Amino acid sequence: MLLRMISIIALASSLVGEARAVAQPTTEPDMDYSGESDGENFLADPEVVGPLYSDKDLMRMRSVEDMKAAWRDMSEDNRQKIRDACEDPQNQREQDLCAAVSGLE
């Protein structure tokens, strides 16, 4: 009888533990590239900053002349969002992009 009670208690506690783990909120970053909530993600959005890079992985920037042309072709709204995101001190990961963009003005 005691063994049966211990087994039931163990089973119940493991089920409660699983339910808690499933109910925990995730801490993954917001991957919405809208630029409204997370400037860093906006700076990593290939749809927005892709024309400034020569590869699809956003690792190599284009030449200055090509970047100037791409910058001029961007909408003013996207250019402003990039400027704003670059001014945010939390976006230190994109220093090279921000330095290049500041030289395009």
Side-chain angles (χ1 to χ4, degrees):
M1 183 71 176
L2 181 62
L3 184 59
R4 181 183 270 177
M5 289 297 286
I6 291 173
S7 298
I8 291 173
I9 291 171
L11 178 64
S13 67
S14 69
L15 291 176
V16 168
E18 281 185 38
R20 261 195 202 147
V22 170
Q24 293 294 326
T26 61
T27 58
E28 294 178 13
D30 179 15
M31 294 307 289
D32 176 21
Y33 291 127
S34 67
E36 299 299 323
S37 60
D38 192 342
E40 186 173 335
N41 285 341
F42 186 78
L43 293 176
D45 181 0
E47 295 291 319
V48 177
V49 297
L52 301 174
Y53 288 90
S54 62
D55 63 331
K56 66 179 180 171
D57 298 324
L58 306 179
M59 299 299 288
R60 291 184 301 270
M61 286 188 263
R62 295 188 181 277
S63 68
V64 175
E65 295 83 23
D66 290 343
M67 285 184 76
K68 284 182 181 181
W71 184 255
R72 284 189 303 266
D73 291 341
M74 267 186 211
S75 71
E76 180 57 37
D77 184 49
N78 280 351
R79 287 191 300 232
Q80 188 58 49
K81 285 180 181 179
I82 291 171
R83 286 185 207 107
D84 293 343
C86 284
E87 289 176 8
D88 185 350
Q90 294 181 0
N91 291 333
Q92 294 301 311
R93 204 175 75 187
E94 303 295 338
Q95 285 179 333
D96 293 339
L97 172 63
C98 292
V101 165
S102 69
L104 298 176
E105 300 294 331

